[in-house]
Amino acid sequence: MDQIDVFISGGGVAGLSAAAAFGSAGFSVVIADPAPPITEAASQGADLRTTAFLQPSRELLDRAGVWARLLPHAAPLQVMRIVDAGGPVSEPRVTRDFDASDISDAPFGWNFSNWLLRSHLVSRLSELHNVDFRPGTGFRSMLTREAEALVTLTDESRMRARLVIGADGRNSPVRQAAGIGAKTTRYGQKAIVFAVTHPQPHDNISTEVHRAGGPFTLVPLPDQDGKPCSAVVWMDTGPECLRRMALPDTDFEAEATERSAGVNGPLKLSGRRMVWPIISQLAERMQAERTALLAEAAHVVPPIGAQGLNMSLADLTCLLDLAEHHPDRLGDARMLADYHRRRHPEVALRVRGVDALNRASMAGTPILRDLRAKGVAGLYGIAPLRRTLMQMGLGARG
């Protein structure tokens, strides 16, 4: 039976990042996922969503040995623009820019396609001889003891691990095996995810357009065939999203352009559409005996303000710091209690905050829309508060 330092369940961006980070730090790692990672955009089932890595995540990705290879593919996010188009017609009536130069010499973050992230992370793992990546094999069960966890995989292989990391999604098998509950909030929303080209340059501005049902967010991507390109997350009620998914491309493009309030001109699809359910979820705790939860195994938020994966990498940074500071205590009760104490209150606060933002974005009545527009204008007008909000969005505590 293999003896390792860390077992990771989950081969998404968070799990792969955890394997690269712990492997780069010198720990022996096994990472398993029942679904092999898809690392080409054209492949069936490819994750066409994008992720904006905010400033604090850059250091973690550098420690994991992947930042330098990702940077050439990055689209910087210099300005976060909020547009309220909640008037009688879908036109901007309040526009406010939050500029990273107000608080930093660097952009807020950098945007990447998820399939590209997986590709570079898998490549990094192949360079680490102390990391054993087992795609096509899943977590089956574990038996934890004070000194170690006995892990069994779906191929019947077994190992002894000092630390088990559950990075295996909102229905985490590791969380269930550890007996940790989770509270889930459903909004009746879905999100359509797609990429577009448009005639007007995005100028490295990420734009959230608010009307009703949820935000319509355009996030900068590198140019495609000489044309400005953006990733889009369009949140709305479930029935409306399913209706739009069935539209012909030209009709869908027309509705998307109208919903965008025309901020970048007419939108043209540059790939296929995908639809995702929107929920909030928070695990009751982020640790159990010899077990740590991170990413969507611990928390799920609607895709607003680039919080989701950046919260996940903050989890990973905390866990890695604790492991490197006291490697002899890897996975012990004190280390994991410290991890929960440092992360869970912060995570709970952000889950509540994003929940409130999402509910505001869903406002459908004219009165609630007007209140939202006044709130955006008012918050922006107080410079110290505006800077504090930007710093908190990057992960700083207020």
Side-chain angles (χ1 to χ4, degrees):
M1 186 181 295
D2 293 337
Q3 177 74 53
I4 60 170
D5 293 321
V6 183
F7 170 74
I8 300 169
S9 174
V13 173
L16 293 171
S17 298
F22 274 90
S24 296
F27 295 96
S28 57
V29 178
V30 171
I31 173 173
D33 192 292
I38 298 174
T39 57
E40 297 292 337
S43 299
Q44 184 67 31
D47 186 350
L48 302 181
R49 294 174 296 175
T50 63
T51 294
F53 285 116
L54 301 180
Q55 287 181 20
S57 296
R58 176 179 58 180
E59 180 182 353
L60 184 280
L61 293 170
D62 197 34
R63 292 168 71 181
V66 294
W67 179 249
R69 67 186 73 192
L70 287 173
L71 190 55
H73 307 282
L77 305 177
Q78 183 62 37
V79 174
M80 305 289 250
R81 175 171 291 165
I82 306 296
V83 175
D84 190 283
V89 295
S90 185
E91 294 179 356
R93 59 175 180 169
V94 175
T95 301
R96 296 292 185 266
D97 287 352
F98 295 81
D99 195 322
S101 63
D102 288 346
I103 60 171
S104 172
D105 293 332
F108 283 117
W110 299 264
N111 199 49
F112 303 91
S113 298
N114 282 9
W115 66 267
L116 181 70
L117 292 171
R118 283 184 168 87
S119 178
H120 284 289
L121 286 164
V122 169
S123 177
R124 173 59 178 158
L125 296 189
S126 70
E127 301 169 354
L128 295 168
H129 301 299
N130 53 327
V131 176
D132 179 4
F133 181 30
R134 303 186 187 182
T137 303
F139 168 89
R140 172 166 289 172
S141 64
M142 67 179 178
L143 174 64
T144 62
R145 299 172 177 171
E146 184 178 349
E148 64 185 2
L150 306 179
V151 178
T152 302
L153 303 184
T154 54
D155 64 357
E156 301 301 334
S157 62
R158 296 182 179 183
M159 66 202 72
R160 301 176 184 272
R162 297 169 66 195
L163 173 64
V164 173
I165 296 177
D168 42 5
R170 57 189 66 181
N171 298 315
S172 167
V174 166
R175 188 183 70 224
Q176 294 173 23
I180 300 174
K183 179 182 178 181
T184 302
T185 301
R186 304 187 187 279
Y187 302 96
Q189 288 174 300
K190 295 184 184 296
I192 304 177
V193 181
F194 53 101
V196 293
T197 57
H198 39 80
Q200 298 177 19
H202 51 58
D203 295 325
N204 296 326
I205 298 173
S206 177
T207 304
E208 281 189 4
V209 183
H210 295 267
R211 186 166 173 79
F216 183 102
T217 306
L218 297 119
V219 185
L221 288 175
D223 288 357
Q224 185 178 98
D225 299 326
K227 299 177 182 178
C229 186
S230 294
V232 178
V233 179
W234 185 357
M235 292 167 57
D236 209 333
T237 64
E240 272 297 284
C241 287
L242 296 177
R243 179 188 67 80
R244 292 182 183 122
M245 284 292 290
L247 291 174
D249 284 355
T250 53
D251 293 341
F252 181 85
E253 290 165 349
E255 288 202 18
T257 298
E258 191 270 340
R259 179 61 181 80
S260 74
V263 295
N264 286 339
L267 305 180
K268 182 74 174 176
L269 284 166
S270 65
R272 67 183 185 276
R273 297 165 256 170
M274 301 181 70
V275 65
W276 297 85
I278 300 299
I279 65 169
S280 287
Q281 190 174 80
L282 178 63
E284 294 173 352
R285 61 187 194 277
M286 294 176 66
Q287 113 289 346
E289 188 175 59
R290 289 287 159 184
T291 306
L293 303 180
L294 59 79
E296 288 201 343
H299 47 76
V300 183
V301 294
I304 296 175
Q307 292 299 299
L309 188 60
N310 288 280
M311 290 166 61
S312 303
L313 294 189
D315 299 341
L316 175 54
T317 299
C318 178
L319 197 61
L320 182 63
D321 286 346
L322 289 167
E324 288 192 303
H325 191 60
H326 288 291
D328 56 313
R329 288 176 32 209
L330 178 69
D332 73 9
R334 182 180 171 188
M335 173 191 163
L336 293 173
D338 285 346
Y339 171 63
H340 173 80
R341 176 179 54 81
R342 295 183 188 188
R343 286 301 298 154
H344 197 262
E346 168 78 7
V347 163
L349 179 63
R350 289 185 181 273
V351 170
R352 290 194 296 270
V354 175
D355 172 84
L357 290 172
N358 187 41
R359 292 182 188 280
S361 76
M362 294 169 66
T365 66
I367 291 176
L368 291 176
R369 291 183 189 180
D370 291 345
L371 287 173
R372 182 183 62 206
K374 290 178 180 178
V376 171
L379 289 173
Y380 181 87
I382 305 172
L385 180 56
R386 182 174 71 249
R387 288 193 291 270
T388 298
L389 289 171
M390 288 190 285
Q391 289 165 345
M392 290 181 67
L394 290 178
R397 294 176 179 172

